[in-house]
Amino acid sequence: MISQTAEYALRAVVFLAERRNEPHTIRQIAQATLVPEGYLAKVMLELGRHGLVRSQRGIKGGTSLAIPALELTVYTIVQAVDPIHRITQCPLNNPNHATELCALHHRLDEAAALIENCFRNTTIADLARQDIFAAAGG
Protein backbone atom coordinates (compact mmCIF):
# COMPACT_ATOMS: atom_id res chain seq x y z
CA MET A 1 0.00 0.00 0.00
CA ILE A 2 2.86 2.38 0.83
CA SER A 3 6.49 1.99 -0.06
CA GLN A 4 9.17 0.79 2.32
CA THR A 5 10.66 4.29 2.20
CA ALA A 6 7.37 5.80 3.37
CA GLU A 7 7.04 3.24 6.14
CA TYR A 8 10.60 3.92 7.33
CA ALA A 9 9.89 7.66 7.35
CA LEU A 10 6.73 7.12 9.38
CA ARG A 11 8.53 4.86 11.87
CA ALA A 12 11.21 7.49 12.41
CA VAL A 13 8.79 10.40 12.75
CA VAL A 14 6.58 8.49 15.20
CA PHE A 15 9.69 7.56 17.19
CA LEU A 16 10.64 11.24 17.49
CA ALA A 17 7.08 12.21 18.43
CA GLU A 18 6.92 9.56 21.15
CA ARG A 19 10.06 10.92 22.76
CA ARG A 20 8.71 14.43 23.12
CA ASN A 21 10.68 15.39 20.06
CA GLU A 22 14.06 15.36 21.80
CA PRO A 23 16.91 15.19 19.27
CA HIS A 24 18.16 11.68 18.51
CA THR A 25 21.00 10.54 16.30
CA ILE A 26 20.33 8.62 13.11
CA ARG A 27 21.95 5.62 14.78
CA GLN A 28 19.57 5.80 17.77
CA ILE A 29 16.52 6.16 15.52
CA ALA A 30 17.69 3.34 13.23
CA GLN A 31 18.26 0.94 16.11
CA ALA A 32 14.90 1.70 17.74
CA THR A 33 12.88 1.52 14.51
CA LEU A 34 14.74 -1.40 12.89
CA VAL A 35 15.56 0.68 9.82
CA PRO A 36 19.00 0.34 8.16
CA GLU A 37 21.06 3.32 9.23
CA GLY A 38 22.25 4.31 5.75
CA TYR A 39 18.74 4.13 4.34
CA LEU A 40 17.35 6.11 7.27
CA ALA A 41 19.95 8.84 6.78
CA LYS A 42 18.70 9.37 3.22
CA VAL A 43 15.06 9.34 4.33
CA MET A 44 15.73 11.88 7.08
CA LEU A 45 17.62 14.07 4.63
CA GLU A 46 14.56 14.11 2.37
CA LEU A 47 12.28 14.92 5.30
CA GLY A 48 14.66 17.75 6.19
CA ARG A 49 14.51 19.12 2.64
CA HIS A 50 10.75 19.37 3.06
CA GLY A 51 11.10 21.16 6.40
CA LEU A 52 9.56 18.30 8.39
CA VAL A 53 12.57 17.46 10.56
CA ARG A 54 15.60 19.45 11.61
CA SER A 55 19.09 18.36 12.45
CA GLN A 56 21.40 19.92 14.98
CA ARG A 57 25.11 19.24 15.32
CA GLY A 58 27.00 19.02 18.55
CA ILE A 59 26.97 17.16 21.85
CA LYS A 60 23.23 17.52 22.34
CA GLY A 61 22.57 17.33 18.63
CA GLY A 62 20.48 15.02 16.57
CA THR A 63 17.30 15.02 14.55
CA SER A 64 13.94 16.26 15.80
CA LEU A 65 10.57 17.17 14.35
CA ALA A 66 10.30 20.63 12.85
CA ILE A 67 6.49 20.57 13.07
CA PRO A 68 4.44 19.50 16.13
CA ALA A 69 3.13 15.93 15.91
CA LEU A 70 -0.43 17.20 16.32
CA GLU A 71 -0.03 19.27 13.14
CA LEU A 72 1.96 16.77 11.08
CA THR A 73 -0.06 14.29 9.02
CA VAL A 74 0.77 10.89 7.62
CA TYR A 75 -0.05 12.33 4.20
CA THR A 76 2.62 15.03 4.57
CA ILE A 77 5.28 12.47 5.47
CA VAL A 78 4.35 10.06 2.69
CA GLN A 79 4.17 12.80 0.06
CA ALA A 80 7.63 14.04 1.07
CA VAL A 81 9.40 10.72 0.54
CA ASP A 82 7.29 8.73 -1.96
CA PRO A 83 4.13 10.49 -3.11
CA ILE A 84 0.84 8.71 -3.66
CA HIS A 85 0.12 8.70 -7.37
CA ARG A 86 -3.45 9.20 -8.49
CA ILE A 87 -4.65 7.80 -11.81
CA THR A 88 -5.59 10.65 -14.13
CA GLN A 89 -5.22 8.91 -17.46
CA CYS A 90 -5.24 5.36 -18.73
CA PRO A 91 -1.95 3.70 -17.69
CA LEU A 92 -2.19 1.62 -20.90
CA ASN A 93 -2.55 4.73 -23.09
CA ASN A 94 -5.72 3.25 -24.53
CA PRO A 95 -7.17 5.85 -26.93
CA ASN A 96 -10.69 4.70 -26.01
CA HIS A 97 -10.00 5.94 -22.47
CA ALA A 98 -8.52 9.30 -23.44
CA THR A 99 -11.33 11.37 -21.93
CA GLU A 100 -12.55 9.08 -19.16
CA LEU A 101 -10.95 6.33 -17.11
CA CYS A 102 -12.19 2.79 -17.64
CA ALA A 103 -14.07 1.15 -14.78
CA LEU A 104 -10.97 -0.63 -13.48
CA HIS A 105 -8.75 2.45 -13.34
CA HIS A 106 -11.58 4.57 -11.99
CA ARG A 107 -12.00 2.12 -9.08
CA LEU A 108 -8.26 2.00 -8.48
CA ASP A 109 -8.17 5.79 -8.35
CA GLU A 110 -11.10 5.81 -5.94
CA ALA A 111 -9.12 3.47 -3.66
CA ALA A 112 -6.11 5.79 -3.85
CA ALA A 113 -8.38 8.71 -2.95
CA LEU A 114 -9.65 6.87 0.14
CA ILE A 115 -6.11 6.15 1.28
CA GLU A 116 -5.08 9.73 0.60
CA ASN A 117 -8.04 11.02 2.63
CA CYS A 118 -7.26 8.70 5.54
CA PHE A 119 -3.63 9.84 5.54
CA ARG A 120 -4.67 13.51 5.44
CA ASN A 121 -6.86 12.96 8.50
CA THR A 122 -4.32 11.03 10.57
CA THR A 123 -1.72 12.98 12.51
CA ILE A 124 1.58 11.66 13.76
CA ALA A 125 0.20 12.23 17.27
CA ASP A 126 -2.60 9.77 16.40
CA LEU A 127 0.04 7.12 15.69
CA ALA A 128 2.26 7.83 18.67
CA ARG A 129 1.64 6.47 22.14
CA GLN A 130 -1.32 8.45 23.47
CA ASP A 131 -0.08 8.53 27.07
CA ILE A 132 2.88 10.70 26.12
CA PHE A 133 0.66 13.32 24.48
CA ALA A 134 -1.85 13.23 27.33
CA ALA A 135 0.95 13.83 29.84
CA ALA A 136 2.19 16.76 27.75
CA GLY A 137 -1.27 18.30 27.75
CA GLY A 138 -1.78 17.72 24.01
Side-chain angles (χ1 to χ4, degrees):
M1 190 172 309
I2 62 171
S3 69
Q4 187 170 48
T5 301
E7 179 167 337
Y8 286 173
L10 288 167
R11 286 188 205 176
V13 168
V14 169
F15 171 85
L16 292 173
E18 287 179 337
R19 279 140 191 92
R20 297 184 189 248
N21 199 30
E22 295 173 8
H24 285 78
T25 66
I26 297 296
R27 175 168 282 146
Q28 291 169 327
I29 299 168
Q31 289 174 345
T33 60
L34 304 176
V35 176
E37 192 174 331
Y39 198 145
L40 182 63
K42 292 176 185 174
V43 170
M44 298 307 275
L45 185 61
E46 193 61 32
L47 291 173
R49 285 187 185 130
H50 283 86
L52 305 174
V53 298
R54 63 176 158 252
S55 296
Q56 178 180 330
R57 292 181 179 258
I59 294 173
K60 296 195 180 213
T63 302
S64 59
L65 296 180
I67 298 172
L70 288 168
E71 298 173 19
L72 191 56
T73 66
V74 170
Y75 178 80
T76 303
I77 299 299
V78 171
Q79 290 301 98
V81 297
D82 191 18
I84 297 168
H85 298 286
R86 298 290 300 276
I87 302 172
T88 57
Q89 61 187 30
C90 177
L92 304 174
N93 294 319
N94 184 329
N96 295 331
H97 303 155
T99 58
E100 188 175 309
L101 292 176
C102 67
L104 169 65
H105 292 115
H106 180 72
R107 288 295 176 131
L108 291 174
D109 186 58
E110 284 178 341
L114 290 171
I115 292 167
E116 193 175 90
N117 188 49
C118 179
F119 287 177
R120 285 181 193 273
N121 291 307
T122 304
T123 68
I124 297 305
D126 293 332
L127 303 180
R129 293 191 331 234
Q130 294 300 313
D131 58 319
I132 289 176
F133 292 96

